[in-house]
Amino acid sequence: MQNFPGAEYNLIVSRETQERLERFAKLFLKWSKSINLIAPSTIQQLWTRHIVDSLQLRNVIEISGRWIDLGSGGGFPGIVTAILLAENQEGWIDLVESNQKKCSFLRMALAETGGRGAVHPARIESAAKTLPAPDFISARALAELDQLFEYVQPWTTRKPDIKLIFHKGRDYRSEVDKARGGWDFDLVEHQSVVETDSVILEIASLMRRV
């Protein structure tokens, strides 16, 4: 790929990482012919809407340490994060996905790209009982904010300083307001470089209100 799409958004990566992302994109398009990894209407925007959107996490936070990605599905942002961790040559991401076919795809994507991670074929509630508390938890297009908080609470109870990194779309403010009714948390909103009405929410110090 001569013109790396991330460059348009000032997301510069090494040549090796660019090649890993290209391999991931080719594999993704191949598997998308047989299983539904993303909404078919967005496949034409695979690079900008999905890969670059996931890649921009490096603008939000230092990509290092231990990660858990919930509902990894087609690999956004989990596989992209695994590739960035490979660039840093440190850190690890555990991808949690309950769909067996998607798990097969995710395993193949890690193998093809050399991403630093592992796939866990389990429901989030089960994974919370077995996976150790990470430094970061990510999720994209999975659930509303208050439900995400329910998912992550077992980990944040064990490790209160976990940072939560969630991609959210245009209705994120109503989700934040709703979640405030039952939870206390610190929030930083990062404007998406891809979608003007989307954000990445950086959340810390999550506690359920009593």
Side-chain angles (χ1 to χ4, degrees):
M1 181 178 294
Q2 294 182 344
N3 297 315
F4 178 60
E8 179 182 348
Y9 304 97
N10 294 318
L11 293 169
I12 308 302
V13 300
S14 68
R15 180 61 195 174
E16 183 180 6
T17 294
Q18 182 176 335
E19 291 172 351
R20 292 177 196 267
L21 291 169
E22 290 169 2
R23 290 199 296 271
F24 172 51
K26 290 178 182 178
L27 183 70
F28 185 95
L29 292 173
K30 178 181 178 181
W31 278 66
S32 290
K33 295 176 182 179
S34 58
I35 65 173
N36 187 24
L37 295 172
I38 55 173
S41 61
T42 68
I43 288 180
Q44 294 301 316
Q45 296 90 39
L46 172 62
W47 273 97
T48 54
R49 189 163 178 177
H50 298 287
I51 296 177
V52 173
D53 186 44
S54 299
L55 186 63
Q56 68 174 317
L57 285 185
R58 70 184 305 165
N59 286 357
V60 173
I61 201 161
E62 180 67 29
I63 303 294
S64 61
R66 190 95 187 193
W67 287 73
I68 290 177
D69 185 56
L70 302 180
S72 297
F76 308 111
I79 292 295
V80 176
T81 301
I83 290 172
L84 291 174
L85 292 171
E87 179 177 81
N88 294 343
Q89 296 185 341
E90 63 177 354
W92 189 263
I93 185 165
D94 291 304
L95 310 177
V96 179
E97 172 57 50
S98 61
N99 183 288
Q100 293 292 337
K101 290 183 178 180
K102 291 179 180 179
C103 284
S104 296
F105 163 73
L106 293 169
R107 290 191 189 96
M108 183 66 70
L110 288 174
E112 289 282 326
T113 64
R116 291 177 63 89
V119 180
H120 301 270
R123 295 182 62 83
I124 295 170
E125 297 86 347
S126 298
K129 298 176 181 178
T130 58
L131 288 178
D135 302 304
F136 309 98
I137 298 177
S138 60
R140 181 177 182 268
L142 177 61
E144 288 196 2
L145 199 56
D146 58 346
Q147 180 60 63
L148 289 173
F149 288 169
E150 293 286 351
Y151 286 148
V152 305
Q153 190 192 25
W155 285 295
T156 58
T157 298
R158 302 199 297 268
K159 188 177 180 181
D161 62 343
I162 291 174
K163 286 193 175 181
L164 311 174
I165 311 294
F166 298 144
H167 286 74
K168 284 294 174 181
R170 66 186 66 179
D171 296 326
Y172 78 94
R173 291 190 184 278
S174 63
E175 290 189 32
V176 170
D177 291 342
K178 180 180 177 183
R180 291 283 189 197
W183 303 85
D184 291 318
F185 51 93
D186 297 332
L187 173 66
V188 179
E189 300 176 12
H190 300 274
Q191 178 66 50
S192 171
V193 301
V194 177
E195 299 284 345
T196 57
D197 57 355
S198 296
V199 295
I200 296 175
L201 301 182
E202 179 184 349
I203 296 166
S205 304
L206 179 69
M207 291 188 65
R208 189 192 296 274
R209 286 189 176 178
V210 294

